[in-house]
């Protein structure tokens, strides 16, 4: 039986590998194809649309230009492509063994971004962000990290281009994942737990709540304060902004070519969504086809029940950070004051969502679902036991919905082609897996009252 199963599967293709030559030469900008224009970004003081000069203290001009660009294709500079070659193109897998375990007629594919040096999709934007900063003379970059994946990615990219990196790591993750901190330090970065004593805002938060577990919103405030108060320092964000989502589109562009190699077209495209970048990276090139060519890819963003901005938040102007230092963006938000429970998918603990992803959800071009952490870990373990790769806690949310789709296809007796983004590995997340395996992982109910209170503090625009 066992031998037969292996013999059957050996005749089927499992990995779809692109030659380096076929790595994308440009990023895909969905703004060029959107049926509805994006809302302007507003100045937090005046409530008026901001201009490049307002962002110049934080970002290099090349990234500001990308942030507001409506060009469909933006060329990837050669030094960035050269660094991408360290791990790109990333493989696409067909999950034959998971399909068999589920006894489903569905075909399941996953794009695996865990092959990058940092272990996730985050270097796809860390590398160009470090590159453009270097070209424009930045010496030092400050940033936040939730899961530790973004901090690792920027630390790695900083090492490649000779930039100092300071990382404000959300306290809950700092305590759960000491090895992530050590990886960042090995790349040469300086890491502090956020809230920290090194910024005015961090000191204020700690004086009011000494046991604060931190949040991405607080860590962003600290990193922005750091960059805004030093001439030699710029700020870098690992998600949410248009230019970050843009850089991630190498994922979906490669996946389109790899699905062609497999001779299939996905019915449904799935990604987990914290700030929205890995989800956008995989799905935007497919959505671009929907807009331009009339294809009908169904696209699902999956978020945690503990921070369900797309499924339960309001679509409104809000701050990207807790201290109200960032510009106002129109997005699905739970309120900038909202601090999600310390779930293990640290990268999904964010009160807001990328404006571009929010716009697509608001106008019905994508769907969204929320998942509890125990159900997502159950899916992650099931995946690991069949496919071998240990997923990061974040993409277990996408895996859960991919499995649900496969089981639905089985119940309906229908074929279905499912593609999801396995955006990172979980080798530094074993504490979370241990808690799950020993029955100590808790689900957090949707905190309706906390969200209500946070929404009451939304800025009036
Ligand atoms: C592995 C992984 N997946 C997903 C996310 C969520 O971010 P985004 O929604 O921008 O992909 C993170 C963020 O840290 C992450 O580390």
């Amino acid at each position: 039986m066992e031998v037969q199963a292996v013999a059957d599967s050996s005749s089927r293709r499992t990995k779809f590998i692109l030659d380096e030559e076929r790595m994308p030469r440009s990023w895909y900008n969905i703004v060029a194809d959107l049926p509805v224009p994006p809302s302007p970004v507003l100045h937090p003081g005046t409530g008026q649309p901001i201009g490049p000069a307002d962002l110049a203290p934080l970002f290099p001009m090349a990234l500001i230009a990308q942030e507001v660009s409506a060009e469909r294709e933006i060329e990837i500079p050669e030094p960035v492509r050269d660094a991408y070659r360290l791990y790109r193109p990333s493989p696409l897998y067909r999950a034959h063994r998971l399909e068999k375990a589920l006894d489903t007629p569905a075909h399941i594919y996953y794009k695996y971004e865990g092959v990058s040096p940092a272990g996730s999709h985050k270097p796809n934007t860390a590398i160009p962000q470090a590159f453009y900063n270097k070209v424009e003379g930045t010496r030092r970059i400050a940033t936040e990290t939730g899961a530790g994946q973004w901090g690792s990615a920027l630390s790695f990219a900083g090492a490649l281009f000779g930039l100092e990196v300071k990382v404000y790591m959300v306290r809950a993750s700092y305590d759960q994942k000491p090895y992530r901190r050590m990886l960042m330090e090995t790349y040469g970065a300086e890491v502090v737990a956020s809230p920290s004593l090194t910024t005015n805002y961090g000191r204020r938060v700690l004086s009011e709540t000494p046991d604060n577990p931190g949040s991405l919103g607080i860590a962003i405030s600290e990193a922005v304060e750091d960059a805004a108060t030093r001439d030699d320092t710029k700020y870098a964000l690992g998600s949410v902004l248009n230019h970050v989502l843009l850089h991630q589109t190498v994922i979906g562009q490669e996946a389109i070519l790899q699905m062609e190699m497999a001779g299939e077209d996905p019915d449904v495209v799935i990604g987990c969504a914290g700030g929205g970048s890995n989800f956008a990276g995989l799905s935007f090139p497919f959505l671009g086809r929907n807009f331009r060519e009339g294809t009908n890819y169904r696209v699902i963003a999956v978020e945690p029940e503990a921070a369900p901005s797309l499924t339960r938040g309001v679509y409104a102007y809000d701050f990207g950070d807790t201290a109200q230092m960032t510009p106002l963006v129109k997005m699905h938000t739970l309120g900038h004051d909202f601090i999600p429970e310390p779930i293990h998918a640290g990268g999904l603990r964010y009160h807001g969502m990328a404006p571009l992803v929010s716009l697509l959800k608001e106008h019905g071009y994508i769907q969204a679902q929320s998942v509890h952490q125990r159900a997502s870990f159950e899916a992650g373990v099931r995946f690991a036991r069949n496919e071998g790769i240990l997923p990061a806690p974040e993409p277990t949310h996408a895996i859960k919905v991919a499995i649900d789709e496969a089981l639905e296809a089985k119940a309906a007796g229908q074929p279905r082609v499912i593609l999801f983004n396995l955006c990172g590995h979980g080798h530094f997340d074993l504490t979370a897996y241990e808690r799950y395996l020993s029955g100590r992982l808790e689900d957090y109910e949707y905190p309706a009252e906390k969200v209500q209170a946070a929404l009451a503090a939304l800025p009036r625009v």
Side-chain angles (χ1 to χ4, degrees):
M1 263 296 267
E2 288 286 307
V3 173
Q4 186 57 43
V6 171
D8 286 349
S9 58
S10 69
S11 60
R12 293 172 306 185
R13 191 78 180 261
T14 298
K15 292 193 299 304
F16 299 88
I17 308 281
L18 287 176
D19 189 80
E20 274 182 24
E21 268 307 297
R22 300 189 74 197
M23 193 169 66
R25 292 180 184 278
S26 53
W27 294 298
Y28 165 63
N29 184 6
I30 199 170
V31 174
D33 293 323
L34 284 179
V36 213
S39 302
V41 175
L42 304 181
H43 192 284
T46 64
Q48 294 303 308
I50 56 165
D54 295 308
L55 294 174
L58 294 182
F59 301 107
M61 283 321 263
L63 292 176
I64 296 171
Q66 291 179 1
E67 190 62 23
V68 297
S69 170
E71 294 288 313
R72 181 174 291 121
E73 295 191 347
I74 295 177
E75 192 180 336
I76 306 175
E78 189 45 40
V80 171
R81 292 188 85 234
D82 193 52
Y84 276 173
R85 284 190 193 97
L86 290 169
Y87 63 97
R88 301 214 74 81
S90 69
L92 177 84
Y93 285 80
R94 167 102 182 258
H96 288 296
R97 289 161 199 273
L98 179 64
E99 288 169 15
K100 194 167 169 54
L102 298 172
D103 188 24
T104 174
H107 293 181
I108 306 174
Y109 292 86
Y110 54 97
K111 180 74 166 154
Y112 185 41
E113 291 293 307
V115 294
S116 84
S120 76
H121 62 297
K122 296 286 178 179
N124 297 335
T125 183
I127 291 169
Q129 290 196 50
F131 167 76
Y132 290 118
N133 269 290
K134 184 68 181 180
V135 167
E136 294 188 30
T138 306
R139 200 184 66 73
R140 179 175 174 275
I141 303 185
T143 197
E144 73 293 324
T145 195
Q149 291 268 18
W150 165 243
S152 305
L154 194 70
S155 304
F156 154 64
L160 290 186
F161 292 102
L163 291 160
E164 261 183 47
V165 175
K166 169 83 178 257
V167 182
Y168 293 85
M169 185 173 189
V170 173
R171 163 63 70 184
S173 286
Y174 187 91
D175 293 338
Q176 285 161 4
K177 303 190 201 183
Y179 294 112
R180 273 278 164 210
R181 169 179 58 74
M182 291 173 211
L183 178 64
M184 291 184 259
E185 289 170 349
T186 304
Y187 285 133
E190 187 192 342
V191 186
V192 288
S194 165
S196 77
L197 291 170
T198 56
T199 64
N200 287 329
Y201 185 63
R203 284 190 288 275
R204 199 173 97 206
V205 173
L206 284 176
S207 71
E208 287 162 8
T209 49
D211 296 330
N212 197 305
S215 69
L216 275 169
I218 294 173
I220 292 171
S221 298
E222 290 205 271
V224 168
E225 180 184 323
D226 181 317
T229 51
R230 286 181 58 148
D231 283 344
D232 64 346
T233 301
K234 296 269 191 235
Y235 168 67
L237 187 64
S239 188
V240 181
L241 297 176
N242 297 355
H243 67 265
V244 179
L245 275 52
L246 173 83
H247 299 154
Q248 293 295 352
T249 59
V250 288
I251 303 173
Q253 293 185 69
E254 288 177 4
I256 285 176
L257 298 176
Q258 289 163 310
M259 290 301 302
E260 278 169 19
M261 285 170 82
E264 300 217 74
D265 213 16
D267 295 301
V268 56
V269 177
I270 303 166
C272 68
S277 75
N278 88 85
F279 164 76
L282 178 66
S283 67
F284 280 11
F286 287 96
L287 284 166
R289 283 189 155 179
N290 281 359
F291 296 139
R292 291 191 312 276
E293 300 164 24
T295 50
N296 201 16
Y297 300 110
R298 193 156 55 85
V299 173
I300 308 175
V302 191
E303 55 185 11
E305 184 73 7
S309 53
L310 274 178
T311 49
R312 310 266 186 72
V314 299
Y315 185 53
Y317 272 100
D318 198 5
F319 297 97
D321 71 323
T322 309
Q324 311 185 3
M325 286 194 270
T326 65
L328 293 165
V329 293
K330 194 154 186 197
M331 62 178 174
H332 284 90
T333 178
L334 299 163
H336 59 271
D337 281 343
F338 175 68
I339 298 188
E341 298 294 347
I343 51 168
H344 285 269
L348 307 184
R349 285 186 68 228
Y350 185 57
H351 67 270
M353 183 56 63
L356 287 174
V357 173
S358 295
L359 180 87
L360 290 163
K361 165 68 171 51
E362 189 63 14
H363 292 276
Y365 296 112
I366 62 169
Q367 303 167 5
Q369 293 184 26
S370 66
V371 173
H372 271 299
Q373 72 169 345
R374 274 213 295 262
S376 62
F377 270 90
E378 183 186 355
V381 168
R382 192 171 199 178
F383 182 84
R385 288 180 184 174
N386 286 287
E387 296 294 315
I389 298 171
L390 184 81
E394 291 82 5
T396 62
H397 292 70
I399 295 172
K400 161 77 174 112
V401 171
I403 290 176
D404 288 350
E405 286 279 337
L407 294 176
E408 251 179 59
K410 175 181 169 178
Q414 286 170 349
R416 194 172 297 187
V417 179
I418 300 163
L419 169 64
F420 73 90
N421 202 2
L422 183 54
C423 56
H425 69 63
H427 297 173
F428 294 102
D429 300 280
L430 291 167
T431 308
Y433 277 93
E434 188 198 21
R435 289 186 85 89
Y436 171 75
L437 293 171
S438 62
R440 288 179 298 132
L441 197 70
E442 38 177 335
D443 277 340
Y444 297 101
E445 285 313 314
Y446 168 67
E449 276 175 23
K450 266 173 73 179
V451 173
Q452 208 110 51
L455 288 179
L458 281 186
R460 272 179 240 292
V461 174

